[in-house]
Amino acid sequence: AQRVALDVRRITLTFDPSDEADRDRIARVYRVARVITQETRDGHLSVVADVPRRLLGYFQPSDSKSRSF
């Protein structure tokens, strides 16, 4: 499975739902990943999701709002 990158990695992402770009990222997460939990706290949305390893590039910590475990 690793050769074709079908395995997944569990990551935690944090978004600001008032930001249009973040709303687009939230939609992408729900399209391509399996969301495990979603929590809203202090106006920010945290999502824990299993993301296919081949798509991790879309959610890498280069975006300061995301981080992975």
Side-chain angles (χ1 to χ4, degrees):
Q2 284 189 347
R3 280 194 258 173
V4 291
L6 294 176
D7 55 335
V8 296
R9 178 129 187 237
R10 185 160 293 180
I11 62 172
T12 300
L13 302 161
T14 303
F15 302 100
D16 177 0
S18 65
D19 179 14
E20 184 175 345
D22 271 3
R23 289 194 301 270
D24 290 340
R25 289 182 194 103
I26 293 166
R28 181 180 293 154
V29 170
Y30 275 89
R31 275 195 308 272
V32 303
R34 179 174 171 247
V35 174
I36 306 301
T37 63
Q38 173 185 312
E39 180 179 308
T40 304
R41 186 178 294 171
D42 297 327
H44 287 86
L45 178 70
S46 291
V47 175
V48 175
D50 288 342
V51 177
R53 194 172 297 270
R54 65 186 165 81
L55 299 175
L56 280 174
Y58 290 112
F59 306 106
Q60 287 302 311
S62 61
D63 172 4
S64 63
K65 296 178 182 178
S66 64
R67 71 170 197 259
S68 66
F69 290 175

